[in-house]
Each structure stands twice: as structure tokens, then as C-alpha cells.
Amino acid sequence: MTDGGSSIPAVRALLRVLAAGRRVAEIGTAFGEGAAAMAETARDVVTVEIDPERVEAARARLAGLANVELLEGDWHELLPPRAPFDLVFADGGLRSREDYWESLLPLVARGGLIVKDDLMPGRPVDGDPVREALFRHPGLAAVEILTTPATAAIVATRL
């Protein structure tokens, strides 16, 4: 997986498609590659990174993209006032709070999408907190897709 670095090319391609015409939020900007990919097709992108060094790198990468707003800090505080979003790319902060997915869900408009990448494909739902949260939540419909033969993402829609 990426260990908190940039999203892989296959995920960036997926994000370009899913972001088309949408209002997007990204949790975990890292170096800005995912946000830049989504900005190619999205109406607008709000991306949040908590690590100041990564913010500086992302600021350089995202400079000149008029439809991207880069925020530094905790997404739990910064994104709710800007919600709802049509797509939320959950790419960071997963271990920051036990109620991660319940905190994230109100950010997503009804019919909107959640994308979580950096997963090992084909794992059982039971015992996997990410899969349990996304596949078993009564307000979501989710599917796991391969992004490469060795990596997967979950795409969920808010019902």
C-alpha cells in the first residue's frame, strides 16, 4: 500500500472518473496527487492534511488549480462546515478516532460517494473494521473493486 504517500495511478484514474462534475472532499492530502487528479474533472475539491510538511509539498503541487482548496488541520473540524459533498475520498486520518466512519457519513450528500483505497483485496468483512463499517452500515451500499491485482478500494454510496 502507499503508507500514507501518494495514491497509485490506478486510484487516481478511478478518482478522476468518480469526481466528474462533483463537489469533492479529500481526507488526507499527503502530497496532493489525489487532489490534483480529482481537480481535473471535479467541480471543486476541498482537501485536508494535518501534517505541516505534507501541506507545504501539496501546496506546491496544487498551486494554480483554481478549483482546489487546501486546508491544514483536523478534518473533523474543517470539513463539516463545508459539507455536504458529492464524493469523499477517505485517504487519511483513519486511526484518529474510533467514530471515524460515523463522523464522515454526515459529510456525504444523499446519493454521494465514499472512496477508501489502500486495501488488500478479498479479505473477509468480519474482523476488518473498514469493511465492517462500509459494508454493514444500513445507510450505505458498497462494493470492493480491484485497483491492481494486489490492491483494492471500496466505493460506497450514501442511501
Side-chain angles (χ1 to χ4, degrees):
M1 303 309 127
T2 63
D3 293 323
S6 295
S7 54
I8 63 175
V11 170
R12 291 194 303 268
L14 174 66
L15 293 172
R16 274 184 209 95
V17 170
L18 296 178
R22 296 178 186 268
R23 196 160 177 269
V24 176
E26 177 184 39
I27 298 170
T29 312
F31 305 108
E33 294 301 324
M38 291 183 289
E40 291 178 28
T41 61
R43 186 171 72 224
D44 57 75
V45 177
V46 178
T47 183
V48 181
E49 176 58 54
I50 201 163
D51 181 313
E53 290 179 16
R54 288 183 176 193
V55 169
E56 289 309 310
R59 187 168 284 122
R61 173 64 180 95
L62 301 171
L65 298 178
N67 64 337
V68 177
E69 180 181 14
L70 171 61
L71 304 174
E72 180 178 353
D74 185 339
W75 71 268
H76 296 94
E77 298 168 11
L78 298 171
L79 289 179
R82 291 169 168 81
F85 297 95
D86 304 311
L87 168 65
V88 175
F89 179 35
D91 200 30
L94 191 59
R95 294 180 185 91
S96 62
R97 289 175 38 168
E98 284 186 29
D99 65 343
Y100 182 91
W101 297 107
E102 289 302 321
S103 298
L104 184 146
L105 198 57
L107 301 177
V108 184
R110 297 225 180 262
L113 302 172
I114 299 169
V115 176
K116 174 65 187 119
D117 71 337
D118 293 337
L119 300 171
M120 298 291 293
R123 294 220 171 159
V125 173
D126 289 336
D128 183 318
V130 171
R131 285 177 171 86
E132 286 179 358
L134 295 174
F135 284 113
R136 294 200 173 133
H137 194 287
L140 296 173
V143 64
E144 180 175 322
I145 59 171
L146 288 177
T147 51
T148 71
T151 62
I154 294 175
V155 178
T157 189
R158 183 165 183 209
L159 303 174

